[in-house]
Amino acid sequence: MRYLEGFRDPEAARHLAGRIRDTTARLADQGRQARIMEVCGTHTMAIARHGLRDLLPPQVELISGPGCPVCVTDAGYVDAAIALADSGCTIATFGDLVRVPGSRSTLAEARSRGAEVEVCYSPEAALALAARRPEREVVFLAVGFETTIAPVVTLVRSAAGRGLRNLSLLTAFKTVPPALAALAEDPEVQVDAFLCPAHVTAIIGSEAYRPFVERYGIGCVVAGFEPLDILHGVDTLLGQLADRAPALANQYERVVRPGGNRKAQEVMATYLVPEDASWRGLGVIPGSGLALRPEYAAFDAARRHGRPVAAGAPDPRCRCGDVLKGKIRPRDCRLFGTACTPDRPVGPCMVSSEGSCAAELRYGA
Ligand code: SF4
């Protein structure tokens, strides 16, 4: 705990805030402002919880991007999971997905109709469930970014090793670098720099962003989750902007290596191949997903049960897409905190505590 306190020191935060004010003044002298997007749900929550926006000058805007895996899960994926549950499969899933709205309902509502939907706290729990219930087809909802893909996909190896033939994965794995490229190419998105995700980058390595920085001329800084980590990352990005020198920087060297976690990368390459993936609110992003290789088709729930994931139809009133692109703040959605709350979410950004809408409603920032 004492170690962490060093990254929450109020005096150091005030010092960094002063530096940020000075750098922002240089930007303002050039008639410029800064919109910095974080692409990580844990950053989104930390920024809101610690009130970091209040420390920044008005010319600096922190906006939340598509960094929460639950938030970017397409309605069509939820529809496919519900169809599998209604057809007699047992759905094993992390808790948040149970409440994510599909086109017409949620897995929680399917459960209330009698479908079997089990909340698991780890992939191993899904494995244990399949072993306990050999008479049932168990489908694990394999949703996530690079951070969690390796431990989830090793379920295939574990199930094969134990001779379990009743476990499969409904995959919606997504990768962050293609999403950054899509945002950079989207004329609707106004972003000057990216605060890159720490957990994801611990796996893919900070060098994974170098092609992006070189191609788009947009600065990327990898930052940790403590208040000083984030302020330091913002300060570095503002300095780059003021100097008109976008670059790649790793402010989280105590965890993130340039090459990332080779072991996890090997595991992903063994079981998965890139595919186009549909992100809620962003549409299909080429090469941004990972699908099970054809040799593991028996573990692919969509193929095994003939239930491919199709495009969904989310509630048209929900503006998660605009929130995830940083076009609006959550409170600009007219359902925010009224028709849409964490107890009755209309869109996925209100489901997870790391969702932009849930974080803004909870912390008011
Ligand atoms: S407040 Fe609710 S309905 Fe509005 S964008 Fe957020 S999740 Fe969607």
Side-chain angles (χ1 to χ4, degrees):
M1 198 59 199
R2 287 179 67 84
Y3 176 70
L4 278 184
E5 282 169 7
F7 295 96
R8 297 177 178 177
D9 178 52
E11 190 51 43
R14 274 191 286 275
H15 173 73
L16 270 171
R19 276 180 39 172
I20 286 172
R21 275 195 299 277
D22 292 345
T23 315
T24 306
R26 286 172 55 207
L27 266 181
D29 286 345
Q30 301 167 22
R32 297 164 64 206
Q33 302 189 339
R35 281 168 61 84
I36 297 173
M37 178 179 274
E38 88 271 359
V39 191
C40 170
T42 311
H43 278 152
T44 299
M45 198 167 66
I47 288 166
R49 186 174 63 203
H50 295 294
L52 299 186
R53 286 189 177 87
D54 294 342
L55 290 175
L56 302 176
Q59 295 91 346
V60 179
E61 192 178 357
L62 296 186
I63 52 178
S64 302
C68 152
V70 169
C71 300
V72 297
T73 299
D74 220 16
Y77 178 87
V78 177
D79 296 343
I82 292 171
L84 285 164
D86 287 341
S87 71
C89 294
T90 296
I91 300 296
T93 176
F94 295 133
D96 281 345
L97 271 177
V98 171
R99 296 187 302 125
V100 172
S103 299
R104 284 170 299 282
S105 66
T106 64
L107 280 162
E109 288 162 350
R111 184 168 57 190
S112 69
R113 293 195 300 268
E116 275 203 15
V117 179
E118 300 282 343
V119 171
C120 297
Y121 294 96
S122 68
E124 290 73 28
L127 193 72
L129 177 64
R132 260 196 334 272
R133 306 283 307 279
E135 79 286 3
R136 298 284 298 187
E137 282 285 336
V138 175
V139 175
F140 183 68
L141 302 189
V143 167
F145 293 135
E146 293 94 330
T147 319
T148 52
I149 291 174
V152 168
V153 83
T154 50
L155 273 180
V156 170
R157 181 171 61 200
S158 303
R162 293 174 60 168
L164 295 176
R165 300 186 184 283
N166 62 328
L167 178 66
S168 57
L169 310 182
L170 187 66
T171 58
F173 295 134
K174 293 185 173 65
T175 54
V176 168
L180 296 191
L183 291 168
E185 291 178 5
D186 187 335
E188 291 185 339
V189 177
Q190 301 294 318
V191 179
D192 299 307
F194 284 105
L195 198 65
C196 292
H199 291 143
V200 163
T201 315
I203 303 299
I204 65 176
S206 53
E207 284 300 311
Y209 304 108
R210 191 168 298 284
F212 171 84
V213 174
E214 289 173 355
R215 176 165 184 187
Y216 296 101
I218 298 177
C220 285
V221 170
V222 182
F225 301 117
E226 296 303 320
L228 295 188
D229 286 324
I230 295 170
L231 289 174
H232 194 195
V234 169
D235 181 47
T236 303
L237 287 169
L238 288 172
Q240 293 179 8
L241 287 167
D243 294 339
R244 298 185 188 275
L248 170 63
N250 179 12
Q251 302 287 12
Y252 200 37
E253 287 181 339
R254 65 186 188 276
V255 172
V256 172
R257 304 282 174 264
N261 182 326
R262 301 286 188 206
K263 188 83 181 165
Q265 293 167 19
E266 283 169 21
V267 168
M268 289 192 280
T270 299
Y271 292 98
L272 302 164
V273 286
E275 66 170 359
D276 298 347
S278 182
W279 298 54
R280 190 179 298 228
L282 305 184
V284 175
I285 300 177
S288 66
L290 291 170
L292 283 167
R293 289 181 175 278
E295 55 266 41
Y296 301 111
F299 294 96
D300 184 332
R303 282 187 260 184
R304 180 183 176 112
H305 299 290
R307 300 266 180 193
V309 175
D315 190 317
R317 300 170 302 163
C318 173
R319 299 190 64 190
C320 275
D322 290 337
V323 170
L324 293 168
K325 287 181 175 180
K327 287 173 62 182
I328 63 166
R329 290 293 303 271
R331 63 183 66 253
D332 297 328
C333 171
R334 64 190 171 90
L335 306 189
F336 178 81
T338 53
C340 182
T341 64
D343 290 335
R344 297 184 64 83
V346 175
C349 296
M350 192 60 91
V351 173
S352 165
S353 59
E354 296 193 344
S356 305
C357 299
E360 185 157 320
L361 187 66
R362 181 171 183 190
Y363 298 109

